[in-house]
Amino acid sequence: MEDLQAVDFVLIELNLYLDTHPEDLEALKQFNTFAQQSQALRRTFEERFGPLLGGGKSFSTFPWAWKEPPWPWQI
């Protein structure tokens, strides 16, 4: 979870930077690399602990797993 939070923080910062520097190819490459890392970390987390995001942004196993602990802040 800590690794995912760190990568997502970098994505937010790069997103803000790219809003004002849209022509910076290196920053865009970094953004895409970190976006792939975020997806991989999220997938690994969800395979081990269950859905991380609600509202259809994460898949659920059967039975419905959203209500089952541990919650993300408990890990």
Side-chain angles (χ1 to χ4, degrees):
M1 179 60 113
E2 192 173 308
D3 291 340
L4 178 58
Q5 290 172 328
V7 167
D8 284 352
F9 176 81
V10 171
L11 282 170
I12 291 168
E13 293 298 311
L14 284 168
N15 190 109
L16 292 171
Y17 175 81
L18 285 164
D19 284 348
T20 58
H21 301 79
E23 304 294 324
D24 189 334
L25 180 58
E26 291 306 312
L28 181 56
K29 288 179 183 178
Q30 287 180 1
F31 179 88
N32 289 332
T33 297
F34 279 99
Q36 289 175 334
Q37 288 178 12
S38 177
Q39 289 176 352
L41 288 167
R42 191 175 314 282
R43 191 175 323 112
T44 300
F45 179 93
E46 288 180 341
E47 287 171 359
R48 185 169 178 197
F49 298 107
L52 186 59
L53 302 171
K57 294 183 173 135
S58 291
F59 292 98
S60 177
T61 56
F62 182 82
W64 179 246
W66 180 248
K67 65 180 181 65
E68 299 301 320
W71 290 86
W73 56 86
Q74 294 174 319
I75 295 173

